Amino acid sequence: MHKVFRSVMVLLEWLLFIAASVIGIANGAVNQYAWERISRINQEGPYLGIVVPNSFEMSPLLQSSSFVPNNKFPYIDFAGRRFRIGRVEDKRVIVVMTGLSMVNAGITTELLLNLFKIKGILHIGIAGNANPELQIGDVTIPQYWAHLGLWNWQRFGDGPNDELALESNGDYTRKIGYLKFSDYNNNTRDDNLLNNVWFQPEEVFPIDGYPEIRQHAFWIPVNDPYFSLAMKLEGMELGGCVNSTCLPRTPKVIRVERGVSANVFVDNAAYRKFLHSNFNVTTIDMESAAVALVCLQQRTPFLTIRALSDLAGGGSSISNEAATFAPLAASNAVEVLLKFISLLNLEIQQICEKLLNLHSFFNLIIIFC
């Protein structure tokens, strides 16, 4: 009987081993080897996630002496992305390139947050400018982000007072605003067959919400402590020249109210003016709102740092704009990122010192009382 029992136990152990092996090999899209590496990387976490759209925007960071790759696990490749592990300003980071567009930015940010222990996201890159009072090379830090590529395109003949399709079901709204194409007809006020497009909020499903019960979000705020800390970046000295071509003034860091994203490269002055006058937009890009939406749903602190590479649609006195100044803008964005991370370290150190002082104070009370 005892031998039978032992045989059964050995068989069960083998079955469990085989099952564990199969699960390890087919654990979603992550194989056992990758999970082991990710687990070991996470043991040294949590990390700051640094999300960058393109290689030329990431190169100044990787080439900086401030970035030190992890000597054991400098990177791990997964789902077409390379997650680079290291330190920036002596803070643990994971750097990843998303690629162009909202879809790529959203997928990459979701992977970063689901695979690794991430305590905050810093998103950097270049952007178009909708505010003519600012200049190429300036680095903007918006307080709110919105996705302006989600439209309800109204049927020709309908106007602002007509209900949108499926609006009565709660799917769409007229609260945010619309763009009327005929406002931009040349020398005429005739109706335009393109009629109106109404901007819509995103559906979001936060991790602390009830599954399949949607919420809506349009203007997504960045992390308050991050945004407050970013005020200390104003006054930084930034680069203003590319070879022998220099900007009219030294670029500056400025916190602005709003930035917007969509799967559109905005090289149109009329649309730029519309965005600035109707939404008070400064920064225009193709990824930041996707990062913001994922961080909102995952309840992860985030901040976006975007350097202006052109006045969207032209009209600037500076020739060539993005073609000439994109590398300068990318370098400026990285410089501001590095400074922000150093401020994070300093702030943590100051908090720790206050806690130590408080602890000493209570020890004195205990001693004397």
Side-chain angles (χ1 to χ4, degrees), residues 287-344:
E287 294 88 18
S288 294
V291 176
L293 283 161
V294 172
C295 288
L296 172 66
Q297 298 192 85
Q298 295 291 332
R299 300 305 193 209
T300 302
F302 82 98
L303 187 77
T304 294
I305 297 168
R306 286 279 186 163
L308 305 177
S309 63
D310 64 294
L311 182 64
S316 168
S317 60
I318 304 169
S319 62
N320 294 323
E321 294 185 340
T324 299
F325 291 101
L328 172 68
S331 295
N332 282 353
V334 169
E335 286 300 314
V336 175
L337 169 75
L338 297 178
K339 181 64 176 177
F340 181 79
I341 293 175
S342 70
L343 290 174
L344 270 179

Side-chain angles (χ1 to χ4, degrees), residues 55-71:
S55 58
F56 83 90
E57 293 166 303
M58 187 167 64
S59 291
L61 173 61
L62 300 183
Q63 294 169 4
S64 168
S65 59
S66 295
F67 176 71
V68 181
N70 186 291
N71 56 3

Side-chain angles (χ1 to χ4, degrees), residues 19-268:
S21 300
V22 171
I23 291 169
I25 293 169
N27 197 340
V30 187
N31 61 42
Q32 184 67 22
Y33 175 70
W35 267 127
E36 288 175 358
R37 294 192 70 194
I38 290 168
S39 297
R40 292 177 67 182
I41 290 166
N42 283 332
Q43 286 174 5
E44 298 183 8
Y47 299 85
L48 268 179
I50 300 178
V51 178
V52 193
N54 294 305
S55 58
F56 83 90
E57 293 166 303
M58 187 167 64
S59 291
L61 173 61
L62 300 183
Q63 294 169 4
S64 168
S65 59
S66 295
F67 176 71
V68 181
N70 186 291
N71 56 3
K72 294 180 182 177
F73 300 106
Y75 65 86
I76 182 169
D77 294 336
F78 182 78
R81 274 79 178 174
R82 174 160 290 185
F83 297 89
R84 303 174 189 270
I85 296 89
R87 286 180 176 269
V88 170
E89 296 294 325
D90 203 35
K91 201 166 192 67
R92 293 184 183 91
V93 300
I94 297 180
V95 184
V96 62
M97 187 183 77
T98 67
L100 187 73
S101 85
M102 295 279 289
V103 171
N104 278 325
I107 290 171
T108 306
T109 306
E110 188 77 34
L111 284 171
L112 177 63
L113 293 176
N114 285 335
L115 292 174
F116 302 99
K117 287 183 179 179
I118 302 297
K119 60 184 176 182
I121 294 286
L122 301 178
H123 177 51
I124 65 167
I126 67 171
N129 175 27
N131 183 353
E133 294 182 4
L134 297 183
Q135 177 191 267
I136 291 170
D138 288 344
V139 176
T140 61
I141 303 176
Q143 187 175 11
Y144 297 94
W145 282 95
H147 176 207
L148 289 192
L150 185 56
W151 293 353
N152 186 309
W153 205 320
Q154 202 166 27
R155 183 176 298 183
F156 179 68
D158 287 351
N161 296 322
D162 293 301
E163 186 177 278
L164 299 176
L166 303 180
E167 184 180 4
S168 60
N169 295 338
D171 291 334
Y172 298 101
T173 179
R174 287 171 292 169
K175 292 180 180 179
I176 294 169
Y178 68 101
L179 168 64
K180 185 177 182 181
F181 287 100
S182 61
D183 286 344
Y184 298 90
N185 287 350
N186 189 22
N187 298 323
T188 178
R189 302 299 296 177
D190 293 341
D191 287 340
N192 187 307
L193 293 176
L194 293 175
N195 203 23
N196 309 317
V197 292
W198 292 80
F199 299 96
Q200 300 298 317
E202 287 276 358
E203 291 185 355
V204 294
F205 299 86
I207 56 172
D208 53 2
Y210 195 83
E212 298 184 354
I213 300 299
R214 63 182 179 177
Q215 299 177 24
H216 289 91
F218 189 71
W219 292 113
I220 303 157
V222 302
N223 178 258
D224 281 339
Y226 283 1
F227 190 70
S228 297
L229 185 63
M231 183 171 60
K232 295 182 179 180
L233 298 169
E234 295 173 350
M236 277 185 67
E237 293 186 6
L238 299 172
C241 296
V242 176
N243 298 324
S244 59
T245 303
C246 294
L247 296 164
R249 64 162 172 79
T250 302
K252 61 183 179 181
V253 181
I254 181 170
R255 296 186 307 165
V256 299
E257 185 179 8
R258 291 175 176 177
V260 293
S261 308
N263 285 331
V264 179
F265 186 93
V266 178
D267 196 17
N268 184 281

